Amino acid sequence: MSDTKSGDDNTLSVTPKKTLTLKRPGMEQGTVRQNFSHGRTKQVVVETKKRKFSMPGDKPEPVAAPVFTPKPAVVAAPVVQEAPKAPPPPPPAPVERGGMVLNELSRSEMEARRRALEGSKVREVEDRQRAAEDAKRRAEDEERRKRERDESARRQAEEEARLQTEAESRRRAEEEARRRAPLTAELATVDDEEEVKPKRVGAGAPVRRPVTPEVARPAKPTKSEEDRRRGKLTLNSALSDEDARARSLSSMRRRQEKFKRAMHNEPREKVMREVILPETITIQELAQRMSERAVDLVKFFMKQGQILKPGDVIDADTAELVATEFGHTVRRVAESDIEEGLFNIADNAEDLVTRPPVVTIMGHVDHGKTSLLDAIRNANVVSGEAGGITQHIGAYQVEKNGHKITFIDTPGHAAFTAMRARGAQATDIAILVVAADDSVMPQTIESISHAKAAGVPIIVAINKIDKHDADPQKVRSELLRHEVFVESMGGEVLDVEVSATKGTNLDKLLEAILLQAEILDLKANPDRTAEGVVIEAQLDKGRGPVATVLVQTGTLMPGDILVAGNEWGRVRALVNDRGTQIKEAPPAMPVEVLGLQGTPQAGDRFAVVNNEARAREITEYRQRLAREKAVAKHAGQRGSLEQMMSQLQTSGLKEFPLVIKGDVQGSIEAINAALDKLGTDEVRARIVHAGAGAITESDVSLAETSGAAIIGFNVRANVQARAAAVAAGIEIRYYSIIYNLVDDVKAALSGLLSPERRETFIGNAQILEIFDITKVGKIAGCRVTEGKVERGAGVRLIRDNVVIHEGTLKTLKRFKDEVSEVPGGQECGMAFQNYEDMRVGDVIECFRVEMVTRTL
């Protein structure tokens, strides 16, 4: 008997005669094919146990000896066991021992079963170990392959960086070669004889090699240094032109992440934003505010049927629709919103304190306004004005019985209408100065209108009562016509008879002002940012732009950031009306402000802002509005040269260009207004440039370019400007009184007027007969019926009261003699120049044309 064990089949068989199996008695054996993943199959041996059903009352069967069937030997066999072809031998006969039925087994069979059981346990342990080793080996292989992929990606990135560096080096070499190409051509043409002779071949032949640029290559570092410094940007590598900068590791990482997102098609997370929309916005700016791509917005518009570019401008309504479509919320703002909170800030009632009144002195020219203020201030102001006429707004502050009063003096000339209106708007009380000898005059009426339009109370000061022809009652009576009712005439308007030269009743005038101020109960909050109005502005040679401002509320201090009209600046110094620098300007105090960036316009409102950024933003917005208004104003004047010439020919408008420089902004404003009134449909003064300050060389250059004349009002030209004006042949006119300036410009404009064509009737003649003379033409035999006919005068041929021809006479004969004129009642012969269509009964009208010079 020999035992054979098969490790592949995990089965035990006894040969040669008797086959020993571990099959239990009463079982049937068969095969089943199992299916696994990836198309694998396996055939296994299964055993089926027959169940014996017993009837009730039968004896219980004897207990059989346990039979051991190892599961791994049957189920986990890698090779399918074939079913035995011979039928199994019959089981041994049972032997009854001590009431138990046992299968009779020999010692060898029991030993074989034991060994088979132990072998199956050993093989099970080995299979477990083998499976663990396989799993570990697979994990190691996966880790190795991952390292290989990472290494391959790194090598690929390094290769791309190297190729990019080499391409950059080649590009620089080509550029260097192109730069040196002209030099190479010059070197190649140095020896003309060698170019003419054929090339020699041999050892003695000169070898001409093309000059190629040498590209400096950096020294190759060691491997350790390269590994250590790879991807880092140093100062030397950044400043060196030879070494091209490679892509950084972060850039490569971002590139790989982008590639992965593209492969997996991962959408980015949508961020909803609040989009602030102005009145107009470009598509590019809208995309940036929404954190969207501009190309997506362009595609959206294309779907809507509109072809737009990222730089195109859309309105706020369209932008709101687009932003809502993309899922964002919208907040609409206007450009004018940047001025919100700048003016008219509400104050608490408990913060208000009493402030001095602001009084404006108004009236007709030469009625004594400045003299009255001079007497009140005890300072000689009027002597500083040219011709004794106030041409600026002066602002001063006086004190009476411990109370301060602010005075604003306005001009009375007709050209300073805007300045009077501006003074009325910035004041609390208006003093109407009327001369007792002149009574009410045109500018007096205009001052009353300004005061009523501003809604300020009026105090009438009847001046010059010391003159012998003074009549204060006449003044009161004439004021009634203009609805100014004084107290003595039953009204509520205070009136005081004063004399500026004698100082009469000045105290009564100041008491009336304080009484009126007490009635008005004027208050302001000094503990807030300052607001006010610009009374006057000028460009001082030593101090720069200087603005005379009236603080209406708040306190203005040095260091404040001021916005006045289109200009802004930080207050560098505050100067009062006495010329002294002060530390602060409380409400109702006039001061000169130094430190503005430019000269503001007189009448502009000013306010203090928190920071320079807001000041710049506000001024840039206002300057943009001013430019747009100027462009809109001159839009009709644009066009091609042909359009401009045709417009000049059709309109016949002639312009007198002027460059005007004045001492203060108010004077320039008055000059502009006065010159505008001089213009007609044929001629007008065109102001090329107007500004405050001295005449400079740039003004002369501008006048030379535009062919303009230069007018200086209370200013002079510097040395360079005078030399440039003499070289360019430009005349500079200086004026100190606005009367003379307006008269000279008016005379110049009159010279531009075309002379008037005036026609004078001479006489009529009727055609009696037509004579056709050889070599002469047709001659009309006429009789002078009215006036006379002169040779050289203009003639018209009238037929049926319709002018047929207008021209000149070729000949005028009396009988056979040429005559200069033919009186009425006589006959004569007449012939027209280049015209012969004359008929009997036509009337010839004779007239004389005269050109008369016109004036404005």
Side-chain angles (χ1 to χ4, degrees), residues 52-63 96 99 101:
K52 184 177 180 182
F53 296 89
S54 58
M55 297 299 293
D58 292 344
K59 292 182 179 181
E61 295 183 357
V63 179
E96 184 178 354
V101 180

Side-chain angles (χ1 to χ4, degrees), residues 298-350:
V298 173
K299 289 179 181 178
F300 174 78
F301 281 109
M302 290 179 67
K303 292 180 181 178
Q304 304 299 323
Q306 300 182 32
I307 306 299
L308 298 177
K309 301 186 296 296
D312 290 341
V313 179
I314 57 177
D315 57 0
D317 295 334
T318 307
E320 182 176 1
L321 291 175
V322 173
T324 307
E325 188 70 23
F326 277 80
H328 302 281
T329 57
V330 175
R331 182 160 64 92
R332 297 277 291 269
V333 295
E335 287 185 322
S336 58
D337 291 345
I338 60 176
E339 294 187 351
E340 288 186 358
L342 191 62
F343 298 110
N344 303 325
I345 302 176
D347 294 319
N348 296 326
E350 58 270 12

Side-chain angles (χ1 to χ4, degrees), residues 491-682:
E492 297 180 355
V493 178
L494 301 175
D495 64 311
V496 182
E497 298 180 3
V498 296
S499 174
T501 56
K502 304 294 183 180
T504 307
N505 293 335
L506 296 182
D507 292 340
K508 291 184 178 179
L509 180 61
L510 294 179
E511 289 175 358
I513 293 172
L514 294 176
L515 177 62
Q516 187 68 50
E518 186 176 354
I519 296 173
L520 294 175
D521 191 18
L522 304 172
K523 292 185 178 182
N525 180 13
D527 301 326
R528 51 157 291 181
T529 57
E531 291 182 19
V533 65
V534 178
I535 297 176
E536 193 55 86
Q538 62 181 347
L539 185 63
D540 193 277
K541 183 177 181 181
R543 300 185 297 172
V546 179
T548 303
V549 302
L550 175 65
V551 182
Q552 293 176 324
T553 182
T555 302
L556 185 63
M557 293 181 289
D560 289 344
I561 300 174
L562 199 70
V563 175
N566 297 343
E567 304 295 338
W568 73 278
R570 187 181 293 273
V571 179
R572 194 168 70 241
L574 296 175
V575 183
N576 62 5
D577 57 323
R578 304 282 179 179
T580 307
Q581 288 197 12
I582 56 177
K583 296 298 182 182
E584 62 179 16
M589 184 174 187
V591 288
E592 286 186 343
V593 176
L594 281 68
L596 292 175
Q597 301 287 334
T599 306
Q601 297 292 325
D604 290 338
R605 296 184 66 185
F606 78 86
V608 175
V609 296
N610 298 328
N611 48 41
E612 294 184 2
R614 179 145 191 246
R616 286 195 187 95
E617 191 177 8
I618 294 173
T619 54
E620 287 175 359
Y621 165 69
R622 292 179 173 177
Q623 290 171 3
R624 186 168 62 254
L625 283 185
R627 285 195 300 268
E628 291 175 356
K629 289 181 180 178
V631 169
K633 181 179 179 182
H634 297 90
Q637 302 177 3
R638 293 184 174 181
S640 63
L641 183 60
E642 295 179 358
Q643 294 174 349
M644 294 173 63
M645 296 301 294
S646 63
Q647 183 180 1
L648 287 176
Q649 291 176 359
T650 54
S651 64
L653 179 64
K654 295 181 181 179
E655 293 182 337
F656 182 41
L658 292 173
V659 174
I660 300 176
K661 297 301 288 290
D663 53 349
V664 295
Q665 196 72 33
S667 300
I668 296 170
E669 183 182 343
I671 293 171
N672 291 347
L675 296 184
D676 283 341
K677 294 180 180 178
L678 296 179
T680 63
D681 295 338
E682 296 184 35

Side-chain angles (χ1 to χ4, degrees), residues 137-345:
R137 186 167 56 254
R138 284 194 300 271
E140 292 176 355
D141 293 342
E142 184 66 24
E143 184 68 23
R144 177 176 55 80
R145 284 193 294 271
K146 183 178 180 182
R147 285 198 302 271
E148 289 176 355
R149 286 196 300 270
D150 294 344
E151 184 66 21
S152 175
R154 186 182 64 81
R155 284 198 300 269
Q156 183 180 0
E158 293 177 355
E159 183 66 18
E160 290 180 357
R162 184 183 64 79
L163 292 176
Q164 186 177 1
T165 305
E166 292 178 357
E168 186 69 20
S169 301
R170 284 196 301 272
R171 185 183 62 80
R172 291 183 179 176
E174 292 173 359
E175 291 179 357
E176 186 69 21
R178 284 195 297 270
R179 283 199 301 269
R180 296 190 181 183
L183 180 60
T184 306
E186 291 179 4
L187 294 176
T189 57
V190 169
D191 193 359
D192 296 337
E193 296 180 357
E194 292 184 359
E195 290 182 0
V196 175
K197 296 179 181 180
K199 295 184 179 180
R200 293 179 295 172
V201 180
V207 179
R208 187 181 299 275
R209 295 185 176 88
V211 180
T212 57
E214 297 181 2
V215 181
R217 297 181 179 178
K220 185 176 181 180
T222 61
K223 186 174 181 180
S224 60
E225 183 181 358
E226 182 182 1
D227 294 338
R228 182 170 59 87
R229 301 295 296 173
R230 181 185 291 113
K232 294 185 178 180
L233 178 65
T234 61
L235 185 61
N236 294 331
S237 62
L239 299 178
S240 176
D241 292 337
E242 294 83 8
D243 187 16
R245 181 181 177 186
R247 295 175 67 93
S248 63
L249 294 179
S250 300
S251 176
M252 297 300 297
R253 191 177 299 112
R254 289 193 299 269
R255 181 178 178 183
Q256 291 179 359
E257 291 178 356
K258 183 178 179 181
F259 179 73
K260 289 180 181 179
R261 282 199 305 270
M263 291 295 293
H264 296 287
N265 197 13
E266 297 178 358
R268 290 191 175 183
E269 184 180 356
K270 181 89 171 172
V271 179
M272 301 303 174
R273 298 180 178 274
E274 183 185 20
V275 183
I276 299 176
L277 295 180
E279 296 176 356
T280 58
I281 190 172
T282 62
I283 296 178
Q284 182 71 38
E285 180 67 20
L286 179 61
Q288 292 177 359
R289 296 190 181 188
M290 294 194 306
S291 297
E292 304 282 353
R293 297 190 308 165
V295 65
D296 293 338
L297 271 68
V298 173
K299 289 179 181 178
F300 174 78
F301 281 109
M302 290 179 67
K303 292 180 181 178
Q304 304 299 323
Q306 300 182 32
I307 306 299
L308 298 177
K309 301 186 296 296
D312 290 341
V313 179
I314 57 177
D315 57 0
D317 295 334
T318 307
E320 182 176 1
L321 291 175
V322 173
T324 307
E325 188 70 23
F326 277 80
H328 302 281
T329 57
V330 175
R331 182 160 64 92
R332 297 277 291 269
V333 295
E335 287 185 322
S336 58
D337 291 345
I338 60 176
E339 294 187 351
E340 288 186 358
L342 191 62
F343 298 110
N344 303 325
I345 302 176

